[in-house]
Amino acid sequence: MLDIRDVSKRYPNDVLALAGFGLTVAPGEFLVIVGGSGCGKSTLLRLIAGLDRPTTGTIALDGTPVIEPRPEIGMVFQEPRLMPWLSIDRNTAFGIRHLPLAEQRVRVSEALARVGLASHAGHWPRELSGGQAQRVALARALVARPKVLLLDEPFSALDALTRNDLEEHLLELWAFDRPTMVLVTHDIEEALFLADRIVVMRPSPGRIVAELVPTLPRPRDRAGPDFHAWKYRVLVELDQAVRRPTGEEAFPAAAI
Amino acid sequence: MNGAAATAAAVGSASSRVPARRPAGFRFGTSALIGLILPLGLALGWELAVALHWSDGRLLPPPSLIIATLFELLRTGDLIGHVLATLQRVALGFLFGVVAGTTLGAVSGYWALARRLIDPTLQALRNIPSIAWVPMFILWFGIFETSKVILIAVGVFFPIYLALSGAILSVDRKLVEVGRVFRFSHREMITRILLPATLPTYVVALRAGLGLGWMFVVAAEFMGAEQGLGFLLIDGQQTGRPAVILASITAFAVLGKLTDWLLATGTARFLRWEDGFKPVE
C-alpha cells in the first residue's frame, strides 16, 4: 500500500506546491489525479518516485518510507526520454542492467512483444513515432516489474487517436500483473476511461478537493451516456476546485 | 554486448528499406574527388607558373620538385625514419592527452567540487603558449622522448578536457532523471548516460586534439630531435633547401589528414544514432 501522509512541498523559490496532502492507494488500484496546470500533481509524482523530498510529511510504500528512488517504483514521463544512442531493445533493458544477460533478453523481448514492438527491437529511437516511443517507455518501466507505476501525463503529447489507443493498451498492461497505478492527467476523459478512483486537485497550494469513484463497468465506452454523465460530474468538481474561495495560506506573498 | 548484432542487422535492414538515392560507392567516390579539386588545382597552377617562367620557383619550389625531393628521401630511407619517429610521438602524446583530458573532463563535468577545485587552474594553464613550456620540459624531463611526448600530451589534453566538461553540463537533465529513477551509481551515470550523450562533441574534441598534437610535435621536435618531420623542417631551413621544408610540410599535411580521416571513420559507427542536420545536396 502506498501511504502519503500530510505531505507538503515548498520549493526554494518559496512556492508552496503542495500542502497538507494525504492519500492512500491500495495495491493494484488504478488511481488517476486530475487538476489544472500548476496544481502540484507533477510535484506529487516526483515525491512518490523519490526524485524530490517532501518539505514535511511522509510517503511510505508497504511501510517503508520513500526517500530516494526505489526499484519497486517505476516512472513514465510525459516525454519518452529514451536514450537516443541505444537501440530499442537496449533502451528497454536500461532499468534491469543488474540481471543476468539471458534474463534481460527474455524480459525485454516479452515486454516489447507486450507493447506490440517486437519487430522494432533493433531500431533507433529516432525511427519511432511519438506513440511508439512512449510504448517503449512503458516497456522500459514495466520490464523491471514495479509494484507501483507512476505516469506523469504520459499521453498528453500524442494525437487523440494514438492517445485512445495507448489508454486501452495501458489497461491491458495493468491487467497483466496489476501494479498499483498512479496517473496524472488534465484530461477528464482519460481519467474516466482508466481510473478506479479519481482524485481532483486544486492549485495554490496543491491539495485534494474531491474524490470520485466512477461506477462504470469495464471496458468503458467513451460514447456511452453514463460516461458522459460522469464526465460532467468530474468537470463540475474541477470547475468548483478552481473557483472555491481560497484559504489564507493559498497565496503566500512571495509566490506571486 | 546483448543486442549489438541484432542492432547491426536491424540497422542494415532499416537502411535497405529506405530507397537509396544513389549507389553509396558513387557518392563516396565523387565526394573524395571533389575534395581533391582545390589542392590539385593550386598545385597545377603553381607548376604552370614556374614552367611559364612567371616565377623562378627558387623560394617556393614547384610541386614537381617537392615530389622529387620526397621520392629522394623515400629512396634513401630517411623519410620513413622521420615519419615513424614523428608518428610515434604523436601517437603516445595523443594517448596520454586523451586519457588525462577524458578523466579530468568527466570528473570536473560531474562533480561541482572537482570543478571548483581544478577548473580555474586548468583554465589559466590553458592560455600558456606551447613554446613557453619547452625550456621547462627540457629541464624537467630531459632532451629526449619524454619531454616531447609530454608537450604533445599537453596540447591534446586541453581541447578534450574543455569540450567534455562543458558538454556534460549541457546533457539533457531529463535523461539524467531516468538514470536516477533506475538508481544509477555515479559511475553508471557517467558511463551509461553522460559520456554517450556527449559522444558527438567528444569526437569533435578528439579530432581537434589530434590536430593540436600534430602542431605540438613540431614544437617538440624543434627542441633538439635527431629524427622526425620537425627535424627535417629545421634541417631544410639550416641547409637552405626550401624543397625539403615543403616536403616536410606536405608530409605533415598528408599524415594529419590521414589520421584525422581514420579517427572520423573509426568513430562514425558509434554515432549512427545521431539525428542531426544532414547537409543539403
Side-chain angles (χ1 to χ4, degrees):
Chain A
M1 188 170 72
L2 183 66
D3 192 11
I4 303 163
R5 273 194 205 166
D6 203 29
V7 159
S8 73
K9 176 69 183 175
R10 190 182 285 278
Y11 281 111
N13 62 2
D14 224 26
V15 169
L16 190 62
L18 286 174
F21 195 98
L23 185 69
T24 56
V25 193
E29 185 181 5
F30 201 132
L31 181 86
V32 175
I33 300 171
V34 282
S37 44
C39 74
K41 53 196 196 306
S42 289
T43 300
L44 179 69
L45 274 201
R46 294 181 60 86
L47 295 180
I48 303 174
L51 288 171
D52 287 326
R53 298 250 191 118
T55 311
T56 63
T58 55
I59 295 169
L61 177 63
D62 298 332
T64 321
V66 179
I67 47 172
E68 58 185 9
R70 298 203 356 209
E72 314 94 293
I73 303 179
M75 179 125 181
V76 174
F77 297 93
Q78 189 174 348
E79 325 79 16
R81 301 196 184 185
L82 304 180
M83 306 297 137
W85 56 88
L86 294 179
S87 54
I88 296 313
D89 51 354
R90 305 185 99 191
N91 258 295
T92 311
F94 208 57
I96 50 170
R97 63 201 184 285
H98 51 275
L99 296 178
L101 274 183
E103 167 93 17
Q104 285 190 28
R105 237 173 256 144
V106 171
R107 283 216 200 177
V108 164
S109 52
E110 262 177 29
L112 285 179
R114 219 172 291 148
V115 297
L117 288 172
S119 57
H120 290 63
H123 286 210
W124 298 113
R126 69 170 143 86
E127 296 172 307
L128 301 190
S129 69
Q132 288 174 327
Q134 199 59 304
R135 278 169 196 248
V136 176
L138 275 171
R140 179 180 62 187
L142 288 169
V143 83
R145 298 189 184 150
K147 275 189 190 167
V148 178
L149 185 60
L150 310 171
L151 303 110
D152 189 5
E153 303 197 27
F155 309 136
S156 64
L158 305 174
D159 64 89
L161 270 175
T162 312
R163 193 184 312 161
N164 288 356
D165 200 36
L166 274 175
E167 283 161 14
E168 281 171 32
H169 199 69
L170 185 64
L171 287 181
E172 284 167 27
L173 293 173
W174 175 54
F176 187 78
D177 48 12
R178 286 266 162 179
T180 308
M181 307 285 256
V182 181
L183 182 140
V184 150
T185 184
H186 54 247
D187 182 334
I188 295 169
E189 200 181 296
E190 181 171 292
L192 273 173
F193 186 73
L194 297 171
D196 286 332
R197 181 161 56 120
I198 296 174
V199 163
V200 181
M201 284 181 70
R202 55 161 295 175
S204 311
R207 62 169 75 177
I208 298 174
V209 285
E211 275 193 37
L212 301 143
V213 178
T215 50
L216 293 161
R218 294 179 190 269
R220 290 176 183 162
D221 174 13
R222 292 170 207 268
D226 292 351
F227 197 89
H228 274 279
W230 270 100
K231 234 167 116 173
Y232 184 72
R233 284 179 66 176
V234 180
L235 199 61
V236 168
E237 291 293 347
L238 253 177
D239 200 41
Q240 283 184 358
V242 180
R243 290 191 194 162
R244 202 169 290 174
T246 55
E248 242 187 309
E249 80 281 26
F251 293 104
I256 297 171
Chain B
M1 291 285 147
N2 68 324
T7 307
V11 166
S13 67
S15 58
S16 64
R17 277 199 317 273
V18 182
R21 276 171 299 179
R22 301 174 220 166
F26 174 71
R27 243 153 97 188
F28 176 78
T30 43
S31 65
L33 286 182
I34 287 172
L36 283 175
I37 291 177
L38 208 54
L40 286 186
L42 285 173
L44 205 67
W46 186 242
E47 189 70 46
L48 274 175
V50 176
L52 298 172
H53 299 288
W54 295 343
S55 160
D56 64 3
R58 196 172 54 81
L59 288 179
L60 186 53
S64 57
L65 188 58
I66 297 170
I67 292 169
T69 311
L70 277 171
F71 270 107
E72 178 60 20
L73 284 166
L74 202 60
R75 197 182 56 77
T76 59
D78 286 356
L79 188 63
I80 295 294
H82 292 315
V83 166
L84 285 182
T86 300
L87 262 181
Q88 192 194 337
R89 286 169 190 141
V90 172
L92 277 176
F94 184 65
L95 181 73
F96 291 131
V98 166
V99 170
T102 307
T103 312
L104 288 184
V107 164
S108 105
Y110 191 70
W111 276 289
L113 181 64
R115 186 175 194 82
R116 284 184 207 117
L117 189 69
I118 61 177
D119 193 62
T121 308
L122 288 177
Q123 295 296 345
L125 289 175
R126 186 165 73 90
N127 293 304
I128 299 172
S130 62
I131 298 294
W133 288 115
V134 170
M136 288 322 287
F137 280 4
I138 291 179
L139 277 179
W140 293 339
F141 308 112
I143 192 103
F144 299 111
E145 290 305 299
T146 314
S147 56
K148 294 183 178 61
V149 169
I150 289 177
L151 184 68
I152 297 164
V154 167
V156 173
F157 169 82
F158 283 108
I160 292 173
Y161 167 81
L162 202 65
L164 187 56
S165 68
I168 284 178
L169 294 183
S170 55
V171 170
D172 190 352
R173 180 187 55 78
K174 293 178 170 174
L175 295 185
V176 176
E177 228 165 56
V178 174
R180 285 190 61 206
V181 168
F182 288 128
R183 309 186 318 139
F184 275 19
S185 65
H186 292 304
R187 215 186 58 123
E188 286 175 314
M189 208 62 118
I190 291 176
T191 58
R192 286 173 169 264
I193 296 185
L194 296 176
L195 288 185
T198 52
L199 202 58
T201 315
Y202 183 66
V203 165
V204 175
L206 285 182
R207 293 174 65 182
L210 184 61
L212 276 177
W214 281 108
M215 288 181 199
F216 275 48
V217 77
V218 179
E221 288 175 347
F222 277 7
M223 53 193 199
E226 286 156 2
Q227 230 181 3
L229 291 170
F231 164 78
L232 188 65
L233 202 78
I234 293 284
D235 192 47
Q237 184 210 350
Q238 286 171 349
T239 53
R241 292 179 295 169
V244 170
I245 300 177
L246 284 172
S248 161
I249 288 177
T250 309
F252 269 121
V254 170
L255 284 174
K257 171 65 194 156
L258 203 66
T259 49
D260 180 65
W261 178 80
L262 278 175
L263 192 56
T265 341
T267 48
R269 63 180 300 263
F270 301 110
L271 298 176
R272 281 180 318 197
W273 53 270
E274 268 194 300
D275 194 15
F277 171 68
K278 305 269 186 297
V280 291
E281 290 287 335

